[in-house]
Amino acid sequence: ENSLQKTSTCFSVTSSDIFVSPYALNLSSFTKLIRRLQVKHPAFSRDEIVGAVQEVRRMNKGVLSGLAISSIEEKASAIL
């Protein structure tokens, strides 16, 4: 416990110091997409759903950006 206390540091963060990574925003969209697909296809595991989304990405030259979430959902559903 003492070693943990020695290595921890205190700092303050103001609202102007907060950085939001664009990857975090994409992760949020990805999470929402996976949840929507899980509701629509309860018989499939999360891994199978993620695999279908990855297949959509592969078919779209390795990217999902530029596609609407509804379009990704539709294409992943067709794969499932």
Side-chain angles (χ1 to χ4, degrees), residues 49-65:
I49 291 170
V50 169
V53 172
Q54 288 176 336
E55 179 63 17
V56 172
R57 179 206 272 162
R58 188 192 64 74
M59 293 181 331
N60 196 50
K61 300 178 184 174
V63 294
L64 291 174
S65 60

Side-chain angles (χ1 to χ4, degrees), residues 7-52:
T7 59
S8 64
T9 58
C10 295
F11 61 92
S12 63
V13 177
T14 63
S15 61
S16 63
D17 293 336
I18 296 173
F19 171 74
V20 177
S21 166
Y23 299 110
L25 298 176
N26 291 340
L27 183 59
S28 175
S29 296
F30 181 79
T31 302
K32 289 177 189 176
L33 172 65
I34 297 301
R35 285 185 186 149
R36 285 171 59 168
L37 286 166
Q38 285 175 318
V39 168
K40 192 171 184 177
H41 304 284
F44 290 94
S45 71
R46 185 181 191 284
D47 288 343
E48 291 170 313
I49 291 170
V50 169

